[in-house]
Amino acid sequence: MSETIIAADIGTSSLKAALVTPAGEVLATSRQGYSTHVTPQGWTEQDPHDWLRALADSLRVLATNCDLAAISGIVFTGHMSAALLVDALNAPVRPCIIWSDQRAEEEARNAEATAGRDKLYALTGNPATPTYSAPKLAWIARHEPEAMKRARFFVQPKDWMVAQLTERTATDTSDASCTNLIDLRKGQWEPALFELYGIDVRLAPEILRSTDVAGPLLPNIAFWLGLKPGLPVIMGSGDGPATAAGAGALFQGDGYVSLGTSAWASFTSTDPVVDKGCRLATFAHLIPGLYVETGSMQAAGASLEWAAQIIGVTAGELAELALTTATPLGSKPFFVPYLQGERTPYWSALPAGTFFGLSREHGRADIANAVLEGICFQMRLILEVFQELGRTTEPLTLAGGFGQSSLFQQRFADLTGRSVRTLSKSEHSTALGAALAGFLGLGCLDTPEKAAGWLRLGEVVVPTGDARPITARFKSFRDAWPHAQALGALGVRPALETKEGN
């Protein structure tokens, strides 16, 4: 037990604490949920104190079966691209604006117009969009200047947790790379970017490596959490790079797909590609010298959850309905899953989720199939961007919760036209990646390569049947984007006018 570590993952809807061994075995987990405040405009915020309460509750559950006094450290990961302002005592100045919030479209557009789209992308590795921290912070500076005056630092979710446990305010290279405020290749804050967005550079925290020990656990917090005072707290990384590491993407050219609330495809690289179309995002890996090239979609599992709520079932029931009652392609409606705008390849903040071809003859199974197909087709669109840029690998490793289903694996392979294999216990990928950073920081592992032995890969699943009708349907899905965007603009314009008038 003394060589185990707690890996805490601050997810979008819950915190998961996992007890992990240096052999990559997950001994126990506990998950505690919390809410996201969604405004009528679609803005999304969270109270950081909910994360801390969720950590305490998760550890109490773990402690009922495990001796947490004997662990060797605790490491964090969490959702990225947030804007969380804290004062000198690390108290939040306002609620945390999380990754899915798209309110800062004007700030992102202004930065791109001033500095140049290609120049910004080449410097930061990411397009200038409201997804990232910099435009969100610029929005706060513009609309809530008093909050900016009270702030001492901006941080990411896992950074705030580390600060609560150690009183050290810092971030790591991976989370910093998802702010649009660093020079990606140098791994350092870029003052010119702060000036561009109108953000005081004094708000920038120090940047540590993901494997650095941020400090010892404070005695009062240790007592509250039921842990040993002085326990090493390792910085950790953002959840994207952590998932990459946990999915085995540890070397040049390794690729995988993660399927959760959002979804993404990623490839590991030592020299990140510069996409002339600015469609991909590139983050620093938790392993120094590596990068994670990523194409992502906003609403994967979120689309299933939304449709399930509308129909009156659970997301799991909706997915099972789709996978067990496939409907003929010719009679199935289309669904484009742009409920929260979309990232790769469009990078649009405009909500444009749309069904095409609905009729009175369609029922629950048709809706379920259309939503699942839309998720898979959007991932196929992302994979085609990578293929265009010379980033391909097969079979693709599927990580994430609903990728465990053999029925889903076959459906994903058929709809994307790519062979896949699942990662055993892929629901733990993010926690395992964080644990890898922790064990490297503690010296329990001397090289990342040792973690390659953690992987347990399933059988390869190949596409079956005639691919031609699916390919033709995918082309129609791809062509639907401008129509969905036009319809979305009609529906969202009044909300945007209300927002701008605030």
Side-chain angles (χ1 to χ4, degrees), residues 304 317-327 365 368-370 372 411:
L304 280 173
E317 290 169 339
L318 187 73
E320 183 178 1
L321 182 62
L323 293 170
T324 57
T325 56
T327 54
N369 271 278
L372 196 64
R411 186 73 63 88

Side-chain angles (χ1 to χ4, degrees), residues 257 265 379-387 396 416 418:
V257 169
M379 292 308 300
R380 177 169 178 163
L381 197 60
I382 291 168
L383 291 168
E384 288 196 346
V385 172
F386 277 111
Q387 185 171 352
L396 273 171
T416 62
R418 289 163 173 81

